[in-house]
Amino acid sequence: MAVKLLNVIFFGKLINKKSRDDCCNTLLVSAVYNMYDPYVLEMNQMDMINSEKTSAMSADLNGKDNIPDENLPGGLKQKLVPKHIAMIVDGNRRWAVQKGLSGMFGHNAGRMILMPLLRLCSKLEIKVVSFFVFSTENWRRPTEEVNFLMKVVEDLLRIDGEVLNSHGCRVSVMGDKSKLSETLQKLSTEIEEKSRTNSGTHIIFAINYSGKHDIIKACKNLANQVKDGVILPNQINENIFAQQLYTNYIDFPCPDLVIRTSGEIRISNFMLWQMAYSKLYFTKKYFPDFGEDDLIEALRAFQRTQ
Ligand SMILES: CC(C)=CCC/C(C)=C/CC/C(C)=C/COP(=O)(O)OP(=O)(O)O
C-alpha cells in the first residue's frame, strides 16, 4: 500500500510499474534504515519539489522534428545548434554554502536542474549532452561528501535515467567503472542496456572520469597492439588513436560546445583530446542556478560565432 502511494506521489505515470516499485522500495528502505543519514534527511525536504519538477519538466522530453526557427526560444537557429554540449558542472557547494546549507547539499540541487535543461536540449534536437559528474580527483573529498555524492549519482542513474529512457533518450556512463560500487556498476549497465537503441538525445554521465586516463588507456591499448604485431608504430595516426577513446567506444561525436559554470576558467581534465576544437563558454552562475535561459544564452553565444 505504502509503495503504491509513493508510486503515485513520486512518479505518476512517468515510468513503468516495475521500475517505480524498485525506486519506491529503495526510498522506503532508505527512509527506514537511514533516518539519520544527511543525504536522506535532505532528500526528505527536497523530494517533493524534485518529483514535481521532474514530472512537469520531463513531459516534453522527446524532441520534435522540424521545429520552425520562429518557435525556438531566444532567436536560436535549428541549423546552428551544436551536436554535442559538454557541461563541466561546478559551484554546487558554493551555491549551498551561500544559502546557509552544508556544501554537499548543493549536489542534489544540481541534480534537480537536469530535467529542464535536457528538455530544452531535446527540443532543439541536440544529439549529445555530457556532464562531468564525478572526476577521478573527486575521491579526495571528505568521505561524508563522497558517500553523499555516490547516493546522488545512484538516484541520477536509477530515477532520472529511467525517466530519460522512458522519453526516448539514450543514457551512457563514461569513465573507469571498476572503482565504482557494485550497485553503481549494475545501475549503469542496466540503464545503458535498456536505453541503447533509443534515438532521442544521448546523455553521457562522466563518472570516475579523467581525460588524462582516457589518453593513457588509448596509449596502452595501442602499445599492446604494436607488441602483438596487430599494427605498426608508424601506422598510428589521429583516427587510430581516437578509436581507443571513450568517445569511440560509446560512439558519440566530440563536443562542439563546452559550458562551465561557477566562474572558473579551466577545463579540469574533462575530455582533453575531444575538446581540441570545442568552443568554450564560461558563466559565473553556480550550476544549481543555471537554468534554461542561461543555456539559451550560451547557445546564442555559440551561434553568433558559427
Ligand atoms: C548530472 C548532473 C547535472 C548532476 C549534478 C549533481 C552532481 C552529482 C554533481 C557532482 C559534480 C560536482 C562534483 C560538482 C562540482 O561542484 P563543486 O562541489 O566542485 O562545487 P564548488 O566548486 O562550489 O566547490
Side-chain angles (χ1 to χ4, degrees):
M1 176 63 196
V3 169
K4 279 198 182 127
L5 188 62
L6 276 170
N7 262 338
V8 177
I9 295 173
F10 286 115
F11 303 107
K13 290 182 178 167
L14 277 174
I15 56 178
N16 70 43
K17 190 178 170 309
K18 183 179 177 311
S19 311
R20 287 201 310 257
D21 285 349
D22 287 350
C23 295
C24 289
N25 284 332
T26 310
L27 281 171
L28 275 178
V29 171
S30 310
V32 174
Y33 290 104
N34 301 305
M35 295 277 283
Y36 300 102
D37 182 324
Y39 178 78
V40 175
L41 289 176
E42 198 253 353
M43 282 296 285
N44 287 343
Q45 290 164 24
M46 299 185 90
D47 257 346
M48 285 306 293
I49 311 165
N50 189 18
S51 62
E52 276 166 23
K53 268 194 187 175
T54 305
S55 335
M57 301 302 182
S58 61
D60 190 21
L61 259 173
N62 286 324
K64 293 182 187 65
D65 289 335
N66 303 319
I67 305 169
D69 282 351
E70 59 268 24
N71 292 347
L72 294 180
L76 292 174
K77 304 264 178 293
Q78 182 74 56
K79 263 197 245 160
L80 297 180
V81 294
K83 284 193 179 57
H84 174 180
I85 303 180
M87 291 218 59
I88 303 177
V89 172
D90 197 14
N92 289 351
R93 291 185 298 190
R94 277 170 281 168
W95 178 90
V97 169
Q98 203 180 44
K99 295 195 155 27
L101 300 166
S102 163
M104 64 188 179
F105 292 165
H107 300 312
N108 207 32
R111 183 190 142 222
M112 287 181 199
I113 66 150
L114 192 66
M115 287 302 171
L117 294 180
L118 290 179
R119 187 182 77 148
L120 178 61
C121 293
S122 239
K123 188 170 174 188
L124 294 170
E125 295 175 40
I126 291 167
K127 300 272 176 273
V128 182
V129 187
S130 58
F131 295 93
F132 201 1
V133 178
F134 192 88
S135 73
T136 51
E137 290 89 11
N138 284 154
W139 295 111
R140 292 188 214 131
R141 293 188 177 202
T143 313
E144 192 191 19
E145 186 185 345
V146 170
N147 292 341
F148 187 93
L149 260 169
M150 288 300 138
K151 288 186 179 174
V152 178
V153 173
E154 275 182 32
D155 284 351
L156 187 67
L157 297 180
R158 182 185 289 119
I159 300 173
D160 303 306
E162 193 61 62
V163 173
L164 292 168
N165 174 45
S166 68
H167 284 80
C169 296
R170 182 177 166 195
V171 180
S172 301
V173 174
M174 162 171 90
D176 180 1
K177 295 179 192 164
S178 69
K179 304 276 185 311
L180 301 178
S181 68
E182 270 181 36
T183 309
L184 268 180
Q185 291 189 34
K186 189 165 165 275
L187 284 171
S188 62
T189 309
E190 273 172 9
I191 194 63
E192 283 180 336
E193 282 173 5
K194 262 191 225 173
S195 67
R196 193 175 301 280
T197 55
N198 289 350
S199 57
T201 301
H202 187 175
I203 320 294
I204 318 277
F205 295 125
I207 303 173
N208 195 28
Y209 176 84
S210 150
K212 287 184 179 177
H213 287 184
D214 198 9
I215 291 172
I216 291 171
K217 168 174 64 63
C219 293
K220 283 184 181 161
N221 289 350
L222 287 173
N224 281 324
Q225 288 184 23
V226 169
K227 191 180 78 178
D228 297 342
V230 179
I231 190 173
L232 293 169
N234 63 6
Q235 285 177 316
I236 297 173
N237 58 25
E238 283 184 23
N239 277 342
I240 286 179
F241 192 87
Q243 281 165 19
Q244 306 301 326
L245 300 168
Y246 286 117
T247 343
N248 189 59
Y249 288 177
I250 307 175
D251 186 24
F252 60 97
C254 289
D256 26 14
L257 173 63
V258 178
I259 300 175
R260 182 175 186 142
T261 54
S262 96
E264 297 289 340
I265 316 284
R266 53 200 164 93
I267 53 176
S268 297
N269 204 5
F270 195 35
M271 292 200 262
L272 298 178
W273 172 281
Q274 293 88 340
M275 277 188 199
Y277 300 103
S278 308
K279 289 192 171 150
L280 309 178
Y281 181 88
F282 299 97
T283 168
K284 287 196 169 144
K285 288 246 170 127
Y286 296 148
F287 185 65
D289 282 333
F290 187 82
E292 286 159 289
D293 287 349
D294 301 300
L295 181 56
I296 291 168
E297 197 40 53
L299 289 167
R300 289 179 60 194
F302 174 81
Q303 296 201 340
R304 277 198 293 274
T305 60
Q306 287 295 94

PDB file of all heavy atoms in Angstrom, residues 67-90:
ATOM      1  N   ILE A  67      11.205  21.770 -36.089  1.00  0.00           N
ATOM      2  CA  ILE A  67      10.564  22.907 -35.413  1.00  0.00           C
ATOM      3  C   ILE A  67      10.994  24.164 -36.166  1.00  0.00           C
ATOM      4  O   ILE A  67      12.188  24.396 -36.356  1.00  0.00           O
ATOM      5  CB  ILE A  67      11.047  23.025 -33.959  1.00  0.00           C
ATOM      6  CG1 ILE A  67      10.810  21.703 -33.230  1.00  0.00           C
ATOM      7  CG2 ILE A  67      10.345  24.171 -33.234  1.00  0.00           C
ATOM      8  CD1 ILE A  67      11.479  21.639 -31.888  1.00  0.00           C
ATOM      9  N   PRO A  68      10.023  25.002 -36.609  1.00  0.00           N
ATOM     10  CA  PRO A  68      10.433  26.216 -37.325  1.00  0.00           C
ATOM     11  C   PRO A  68      11.232  27.134 -36.389  1.00  0.00           C
ATOM     12  O   PRO A  68      10.937  27.185 -35.187  1.00  0.00           O
ATOM     13  CB  PRO A  68       9.102  26.866 -37.716  1.00  0.00           C
ATOM     14  CG  PRO A  68       8.025  25.929 -37.332  1.00  0.00           C
ATOM     15  CD  PRO A  68       8.583  24.873 -36.443  1.00  0.00           C
ATOM     16  N   ASP A  69      12.214  27.859 -36.945  1.00  0.00           N
ATOM     17  CA  ASP A  69      13.071  28.706 -36.113  1.00  0.00           C
ATOM     18  C   ASP A  69      12.282  29.703 -35.279  1.00  0.00           C
ATOM     19  O   ASP A  69      12.648  30.006 -34.159  1.00  0.00           O
ATOM     20  CB  ASP A  69      14.081  29.456 -36.995  1.00  0.00           C
ATOM     21  CG  ASP A  69      15.222  28.537 -37.416  1.00  0.00           C
ATOM     22  OD1 ASP A  69      15.293  27.405 -36.878  1.00  0.00           O
ATOM     23  OD2 ASP A  69      16.022  28.939 -38.269  1.00  0.00           O
ATOM     24  N   GLU A  70      11.159  30.202 -35.857  1.00  0.00           N
ATOM     25  CA  GLU A  70      10.412  31.221 -35.090  1.00  0.00           C
ATOM     26  C   GLU A  70       9.814  30.635 -33.807  1.00  0.00           C
ATOM     27  O   GLU A  70       9.461  31.357 -32.888  1.00  0.00           O
ATOM     28  CB  GLU A  70       9.347  31.928 -35.942  1.00  0.00           C
ATOM     29  CG  GLU A  70       8.287  31.052 -36.553  1.00  0.00           C
ATOM     30  CD  GLU A  70       8.668  30.575 -37.959  1.00  0.00           C
ATOM     31  OE1 GLU A  70       9.873  30.528 -38.267  1.00  0.00           O
ATOM     32  OE2 GLU A  70       7.752  30.242 -38.727  1.00  0.00           O
ATOM     33  N   ASN A  71       9.738  29.306 -33.734  1.00  0.00           N
ATOM     34  CA  ASN A  71       9.225  28.693 -32.500  1.00  0.00           C
ATOM     35  C   ASN A  71      10.331  28.351 -31.510  1.00  0.00           C
ATOM     36  O   ASN A  71      10.065  27.845 -30.426  1.00  0.00           O
ATOM     37  CB  ASN A  71       8.454  27.403 -32.823  1.00  0.00           C
ATOM     38  CG  ASN A  71       7.167  27.712 -33.565  1.00  0.00           C
ATOM     39  OD1 ASN A  71       6.755  28.867 -33.611  1.00  0.00           O
ATOM     40  ND2 ASN A  71       6.566  26.704 -34.157  1.00  0.00           N
ATOM     41  N   LEU A  72      11.574  28.603 -31.905  1.00  0.00           N
ATOM     42  CA  LEU A  72      12.666  28.293 -30.988  1.00  0.00           C
ATOM     43  C   LEU A  72      12.915  29.484 -30.072  1.00  0.00           C
ATOM     44  O   LEU A  72      12.796  30.629 -30.490  1.00  0.00           O
ATOM     45  CB  LEU A  72      13.954  27.967 -31.768  1.00  0.00           C
ATOM     46  CG  LEU A  72      13.912  26.697 -32.596  1.00  0.00           C
ATOM     47  CD1 LEU A  72      15.250  26.497 -33.300  1.00  0.00           C
ATOM     48  CD2 LEU A  72      13.604  25.487 -31.736  1.00  0.00           C
ATOM     49  N   PRO A  73      13.287  29.220 -28.814  1.00  0.00           N
ATOM     50  CA  PRO A  73      13.488  30.341 -27.888  1.00  0.00           C
ATOM     51  C   PRO A  73      14.731  31.153 -28.222  1.00  0.00           C
ATOM     52  O   PRO A  73      15.684  30.621 -28.808  1.00  0.00           O
ATOM     53  CB  PRO A  73      13.653  29.632 -26.532  1.00  0.00           C
ATOM     54  CG  PRO A  73      14.049  28.231 -26.856  1.00  0.00           C
ATOM     55  CD  PRO A  73      13.493  27.910 -28.205  1.00  0.00           C
ATOM     56  N   GLY A  74      14.690  32.437 -27.864  1.00  0.00           N
ATOM     57  CA  GLY A  74      15.878  33.296 -27.922  1.00  0.00           C
ATOM     58  C   GLY A  74      16.440  33.522 -29.310  1.00  0.00           C
ATOM     59  O   GLY A  74      17.618  33.847 -29.458  1.00  0.00           O
ATOM     60  N   GLY A  75      15.595  33.342 -30.337  1.00  0.00           N
ATOM     61  CA  GLY A  75      16.077  33.562 -31.708  1.00  0.00           C
ATOM     62  C   GLY A  75      17.105  32.523 -32.145  1.00  0.00           C
ATOM     63  O   GLY A  75      17.902  32.757 -33.059  1.00  0.00           O
ATOM     64  N   LEU A  76      17.095  31.354 -31.531  1.00  0.00           N
ATOM     65  CA  LEU A  76      18.066  30.319 -31.914  1.00  0.00           C
ATOM     66  C   LEU A  76      17.731  29.740 -33.284  1.00  0.00           C
ATOM     67  O   LEU A  76      16.574  29.695 -33.685  1.00  0.00           O
ATOM     68  CB  LEU A  76      18.069  29.192 -30.869  1.00  0.00           C
ATOM     69  CG  LEU A  76      18.607  29.556 -29.496  1.00  0.00           C
ATOM     70  CD1 LEU A  76      18.403  28.396 -28.514  1.00  0.00           C
ATOM     71  CD2 LEU A  76      20.094  29.898 -29.575  1.00  0.00           C
ATOM     72  N   LYS A  77      18.781  29.316 -33.969  1.00  0.00           N
ATOM     73  CA  LYS A  77      18.590  28.707 -35.307  1.00  0.00           C
ATOM     74  C   LYS A  77      18.824  27.211 -35.179  1.00  0.00           C
ATOM     75  O   LYS A  77      19.890  26.772 -34.726  1.00  0.00           O
ATOM     76  CB  LYS A  77      19.617  29.270 -36.298  1.00  0.00           C
ATOM     77  CG  LYS A  77      19.613  30.785 -36.419  1.00  0.00           C
ATOM     78  CD  LYS A  77      18.763  31.209 -37.605  1.00  0.00           C
ATOM     79  CE  LYS A  77      18.690  32.718 -37.756  1.00  0.00           C
ATOM     80  NZ  LYS A  77      17.977  33.417 -36.682  1.00  0.00           N
ATOM     81  N   GLN A  78      17.824  26.461 -35.637  1.00  0.00           N
ATOM     82  CA  GLN A  78      17.925  24.994 -35.543  1.00  0.00           C
ATOM     83  C   GLN A  78      19.191  24.461 -36.221  1.00  0.00           C
ATOM     84  O   GLN A  78      19.875  23.592 -35.710  1.00  0.00           O
ATOM     85  CB  GLN A  78      16.678  24.383 -36.190  1.00  0.00           C
ATOM     86  CG  GLN A  78      16.619  22.875 -36.133  1.00  0.00           C
ATOM     87  CD  GLN A  78      16.285  22.379 -34.731  1.00  0.00           C
ATOM     88  OE1 GLN A  78      15.280  22.757 -34.158  1.00  0.00           O
ATOM     89  NE2 GLN A  78      17.147  21.567 -34.170  1.00  0.00           N
ATOM     90  N   LYS A  79      19.493  25.057 -37.404  1.00  0.00           N
ATOM     91  CA  LYS A  79      20.623  24.538 -38.195  1.00  0.00           C
ATOM     92  C   LYS A  79      21.957  24.708 -37.481  1.00  0.00           C
ATOM     93  O   LYS A  79      22.916  24.017 -37.761  1.00  0.00           O
ATOM     94  CB  LYS A  79      20.700  25.290 -39.522  1.00  0.00           C
ATOM     95  CG  LYS A  79      20.019  24.549 -40.667  1.00  0.00           C
ATOM     96  CD  LYS A  79      20.494  25.116 -41.980  1.00  0.00           C
ATOM     97  CE  LYS A  79      19.332  25.768 -42.689  1.00  0.00           C
ATOM     98  NZ  LYS A  79      19.675  26.712 -43.685  1.00  0.00           N
ATOM     99  N   LEU A  80      22.016  25.694 -36.570  1.00  0.00           N
ATOM    100  CA  LEU A  80      23.308  26.007 -35.935  1.00  0.00           C
ATOM    101  C   LEU A  80      23.447  25.458 -34.515  1.00  0.00           C
ATOM    102  O   LEU A  80      24.341  25.870 -33.784  1.00  0.00           O
ATOM    103  CB  LEU A  80      23.510  27.534 -35.910  1.00  0.00           C
ATOM    104  CG  LEU A  80      23.605  28.217 -37.266  1.00  0.00           C
ATOM    105  CD1 LEU A  80      23.791  29.724 -37.091  1.00  0.00           C
ATOM    106  CD2 LEU A  80      24.756  27.660 -38.093  1.00  0.00           C
ATOM    107  N   VAL A  81      22.552  24.555 -34.124  1.00  0.00           N
ATOM    108  CA  VAL A  81      22.710  24.036 -32.751  1.00  0.00           C
ATOM    109  C   VAL A  81      23.909  23.092 -32.716  1.00  0.00           C
ATOM    110  O   VAL A  81      24.197  22.404 -33.701  1.00  0.00           O
ATOM    111  CB  VAL A  81      21.446  23.306 -32.196  1.00  0.00           C
ATOM    112  CG1 VAL A  81      20.286  24.246 -32.027  1.00  0.00           C
ATOM    113  CG2 VAL A  81      21.081  22.097 -33.018  1.00  0.00           C
ATOM    114  N   PRO A  82      24.634  23.074 -31.583  1.00  0.00           N
ATOM    115  CA  PRO A  82      25.768  22.150 -31.501  1.00  0.00           C
ATOM    116  C   PRO A  82      25.283  20.697 -31.523  1.00  0.00           C
ATOM    117  O   PRO A  82      24.160  20.415 -31.126  1.00  0.00           O
ATOM    118  CB  PRO A  82      26.406  22.482 -30.147  1.00  0.00           C
ATOM    119  CG  PRO A  82      25.395  23.263 -29.396  1.00  0.00           C
ATOM    120  CD  PRO A  82      24.442  23.865 -30.369  1.00  0.00           C
ATOM    121  N   LYS A  83      26.161  19.811 -31.975  1.00  0.00           N
ATOM    122  CA  LYS A  83      25.798  18.383 -31.960  1.00  0.00           C
ATOM    123  C   LYS A  83      25.979  17.823 -30.551  1.00  0.00           C
ATOM    124  O   LYS A  83      25.246  16.962 -30.123  1.00  0.00           O
ATOM    125  CB  LYS A  83      26.725  17.599 -32.907  1.00  0.00           C
ATOM    126  CG  LYS A  83      26.402  17.771 -34.369  1.00  0.00           C
ATOM    127  CD  LYS A  83      27.162  16.693 -35.177  1.00  0.00           C
ATOM    128  CE  LYS A  83      26.840  16.816 -36.659  1.00  0.00           C
ATOM    129  NZ  LYS A  83      27.145  18.154 -37.182  1.00  0.00           N
ATOM    130  N   HIS A  84      27.015  18.331 -29.893  1.00  0.00           N
ATOM    131  CA  HIS A  84      27.327  17.801 -28.561  1.00  0.00           C
ATOM    132  C   HIS A  84      27.682  18.960 -27.613  1.00  0.00           C
ATOM    133  O   HIS A  84      28.632  19.690 -27.860  1.00  0.00           O
ATOM    134  CB  HIS A  84      28.523  16.818 -28.696  1.00  0.00           C
ATOM    135  CG  HIS A  84      29.035  16.298 -27.372  1.00  0.00           C
ATOM    136  ND1 HIS A  84      30.085  15.412 -27.304  1.00  0.00           N
ATOM    137  CD2 HIS A  84      28.664  16.518 -26.084  1.00  0.00           C
ATOM    138  CE1 HIS A  84      30.337  15.119 -26.034  1.00  0.00           C
ATOM    139  NE2 HIS A  84      29.494  15.784 -25.270  1.00  0.00           N
ATOM    140  N   ILE A  85      26.913  19.094 -26.546  1.00  0.00           N
ATOM    141  CA  ILE A  85      27.239  20.065 -25.491  1.00  0.00           C
ATOM    142  C   ILE A  85      27.845  19.295 -24.320  1.00  0.00           C
ATOM    143  O   ILE A  85      27.237  18.344 -23.815  1.00  0.00           O
ATOM    144  CB  ILE A  85      25.986  20.789 -24.958  1.00  0.00           C
ATOM    145  CG1 ILE A  85      25.244  21.494 -26.089  1.00  0.00           C
ATOM    146  CG2 ILE A  85      26.358  21.775 -23.860  1.00  0.00           C
ATOM    147  CD1 ILE A  85      23.984  22.221 -25.616  1.00  0.00           C
ATOM    148  N   ALA A  86      29.044  19.695 -23.915  1.00  0.00           N
ATOM    149  CA  ALA A  86      29.661  19.082 -22.733  1.00  0.00           C
ATOM    150  C   ALA A  86      29.560  20.076 -21.591  1.00  0.00           C
ATOM    151  O   ALA A  86      29.891  21.256 -21.755  1.00  0.00           O
ATOM    152  CB  ALA A  86      31.117  18.747 -23.019  1.00  0.00           C
ATOM    153  N   MET A  87      29.101  19.612 -20.440  1.00  0.00           N
ATOM    154  CA  MET A  87      28.929  20.535 -19.310  1.00  0.00           C
ATOM    155  C   MET A  87      29.865  20.178 -18.165  1.00  0.00           C
ATOM    156  O   MET A  87      29.839  19.050 -17.659  1.00  0.00           O
ATOM    157  CB  MET A  87      27.490  20.482 -18.800  1.00  0.00           C
ATOM    158  CG  MET A  87      26.508  21.070 -19.796  1.00  0.00           C
ATOM    159  SD  MET A  87      25.181  21.999 -18.999  1.00  0.00           S
ATOM    160  CE  MET A  87      26.001  23.255 -18.094  1.00  0.00           C
ATOM    161  N   ILE A  88      30.684  21.147 -17.788  1.00  0.00           N
ATOM    162  CA  ILE A  88      31.513  20.985 -16.592  1.00  0.00           C
ATOM    163  C   ILE A  88      30.729  21.623 -15.458  1.00  0.00           C
ATOM    164  O   ILE A  88      30.621  22.845 -15.348  1.00  0.00           O
ATOM    165  CB  ILE A  88      32.910  21.615 -16.768  1.00  0.00           C
ATOM    166  CG1 ILE A  88      33.596  20.994 -17.993  1.00  0.00           C
ATOM    167  CG2 ILE A  88      33.745  21.406 -15.503  1.00  0.00           C
ATOM    168  CD1 ILE A  88      34.957  21.582 -18.312  1.00  0.00           C
ATOM    169  N   VAL A  89      30.150  20.738 -14.672  1.00  0.00           N
ATOM    170  CA  VAL A  89      29.231  21.143 -13.609  1.00  0.00           C
ATOM    171  C   VAL A  89      30.067  21.644 -12.429  1.00  0.00           C
ATOM    172  O   VAL A  89      30.864  20.901 -11.893  1.00  0.00           O
ATOM    173  CB  VAL A  89      28.445  19.876 -13.194  1.00  0.00           C
ATOM    174  CG1 VAL A  89      27.600  20.133 -11.987  1.00  0.00           C
ATOM    175  CG2 VAL A  89      27.638  19.332 -14.350  1.00  0.00           C
ATOM    176  N   ASP A  90      29.893  22.903 -12.043  1.00  0.00           N
ATOM    177  CA  ASP A  90      30.727  23.414 -10.951  1.00  0.00           C
ATOM    178  C   ASP A  90      29.964  24.446 -10.128  1.00  0.00           C
ATOM    179  O   ASP A  90      29.079  25.127 -10.636  1.00  0.00           O
ATOM    180  CB  ASP A  90      32.005  24.039 -11.540  1.00  0.00           C
ATOM    181  CG  ASP A  90      33.095  24.203 -10.485  1.00  0.00           C
ATOM    182  OD1 ASP A  90      32.970  23.604  -9.398  1.00  0.00           O
ATOM    183  OD2 ASP A  90      34.057  24.944 -10.737  1.00  0.00           O
TER     184      ASP A  90
END
